[in-house]
Amino acid sequence: MNDLSAQNQELERQNQQLLDAYAKLDKALAQYAELYDFAPVGYLTLGQGRRIVKANLTCCELLQRDRVVVQGKDLLDFVLKEDRPALVDYLGRLCQGTGKIHCEVRLHNDTPVLLESTVSKEQGECRIVMLDISRQKKAEAALRESEKRFKALVEVTSDWVWEVNAEGVYTYASPKVFDLLGYTPEEVVGKTPFDFMPRREADRLLMIFGELIARREPFHNMENLNLRKDGREVLLETSAVPIFDTDGAFCGFRGIDRDISNRLPPARE
């Protein structure tokens, strides 16, 4: 009797452990489902024929469809016709195992999304992360518009606007440089300011420019003698500010030059 009682107690203990394990598993699955459904990005799983097997709530919001409507549908049905060839090509390359790739398409509601995927060959599924990039696209459009306005302003200003990199090489020159030095912007880009100066002036400015790079501070109204393409001397006044990238690394200077040759002493006859 004692042995039977001990066996019953052991079975009850094991049964309770099993129930506790099931309870923990249910809790973990509930947490996973919550994380999956309310993630800030869309998740969906494709089966054969690009059919949607599973999709979280964020994905359904992006597609503007209920989950019951989305499941079983071809993903192509939710993409603009113009972008469908790109999606088909993307999924084809993904299935060929060409590595980690991504694709940008517009959904049927014109929402731009970035797709990043992995393939489970064992289960015959494709798991996709769908990220809404509407804000990014708007920011890019705003940047292009800003650059367009900047270019229009630069091209009509009376000053020569330029940019040099950290080595002092011109990376941009506005069209006004032709009026000041007789060179086209294409002839200037790739050269340094010292290439357009008499030797003695270039040596003087090289020392000054080296200190400016070290300090990485703005400078104003720096007079420097230059030679036009026809050999005539022209006195320029230069002002500039340093350029830094998003990480704070020094990239060069952006500045303007204006002609102040009227301050030069008159040439001797």
Side-chain angles (χ1 to χ4, degrees):
M1 292 292 292
N2 290 335
D3 290 342
L4 182 59
S5 176
Q7 289 179 0
N8 286 336
Q9 290 178 359
E10 178 63 20
L11 287 173
E12 288 178 1
R13 187 183 66 81
Q14 292 179 0
N15 186 52
Q16 186 59 48
Q17 288 179 340
L18 186 60
L19 290 174
D20 291 343
Y22 277 129
K24 290 180 179 179
L25 179 60
D26 288 340
K27 184 178 180 180
L29 288 174
Q31 291 175 337
Y32 165 78
E34 184 176 355
L35 288 172
Y36 177 81
D37 266 337
F38 297 101
V41 297
Y43 292 124
L44 70 155
T45 303
L46 300 185
Q48 297 295 329
R50 300 184 301 267
R51 299 290 171 180
I52 299 175
V53 177
K54 190 177 181 181
N56 71 345
L57 291 179
T58 304
C59 181
C60 294
E61 290 177 1
L62 287 171
L63 299 177
Q64 295 182 343
R65 295 290 187 274
D66 292 333
R67 183 143 44 191
V68 292
V69 176
V70 167
Q71 289 181 342
K73 294 293 180 63
D74 188 336
L75 179 59
L76 246 61
D77 295 340
F78 300 99
V79 175
L80 289 179
K81 290 183 178 180
E82 306 93 288
D83 291 357
R84 290 177 183 176
L87 178 60
V88 171
D89 176 71
Y90 166 70
L91 294 175
R93 288 186 289 123
L94 189 66
C95 292
Q96 293 171 5
T98 54
K100 187 177 180 181
I101 56 176
H102 63 270
C103 176
E104 290 186 13
V105 295
R106 291 167 297 166
L107 301 178
H108 61 94
N109 52 25
D110 208 33
T111 300
V113 294
L114 177 68
L115 305 179
E116 293 187 353
S117 314
T118 58
V119 173
S120 173
K121 295 184 178 179
E122 294 80 8
Q123 299 178 5
E125 294 179 340
C126 176
R127 301 185 182 97
I128 297 177
V129 175
M130 181 182 291
L131 180 64
D132 185 352
I133 55 174
S134 300
R135 291 184 179 180
Q136 176 184 330
K137 290 298 181 182
K138 289 180 180 178
E140 291 174 355
L143 178 60
R144 287 193 297 269
E145 181 62 25
S146 177
E147 290 175 345
K148 183 179 178 181
R149 291 176 181 174
F150 173 76
K151 183 178 180 181
L153 178 63
V154 162
E155 291 182 352
V156 298
T157 185
S158 58
D159 297 326
W160 168 29
V161 181
W162 49 263
E163 288 184 6
V164 296
N165 61 20
E167 287 71 43
V169 177
Y170 284 116
T171 57
Y172 172 77
S174 68
K176 187 64 178 179
V177 68
F178 185 79
D179 295 337
L180 269 64
L181 298 180
Y183 293 95
T184 65
E186 293 75 18
E187 291 176 301
V188 172
V189 171
K191 294 183 171 60
T192 72
F194 318 108
D195 293 327
F196 303 96
M197 299 177 182
R199 181 59 182 272
R200 180 177 296 180
E201 184 74 346
D203 292 341
R204 181 181 73 87
L205 266 295
L206 271 169
M207 296 180 61
I208 296 175
F209 190 72
E211 295 176 358
L212 292 172
I213 289 180
R215 294 201 305 266
R216 299 174 183 179
E217 296 176 349
F219 59 91
H220 307 281
N221 306 328
M222 180 188 296
E223 295 186 5
N224 51 98
L225 192 64
N226 289 254
L227 293 175
R228 286 178 50 88
K229 193 173 185 178
D230 58 13
R232 290 189 291 118
E233 291 185 347
V234 55
L235 185 63
L236 300 182
E237 185 178 71
T238 304
S239 299
V241 294
I243 307 172
F244 300 94
D245 64 16
T246 54
D247 296 324
F250 175 68
C251 298
F253 283 97
R254 178 182 297 118
I256 59 172
D257 277 18
R258 61 184 55 180
D259 187 351
I260 55 169
S261 298
N262 58 332
R263 302 180 190 176
L264 285 172
R268 296 180 179 180
E269 296 293 339

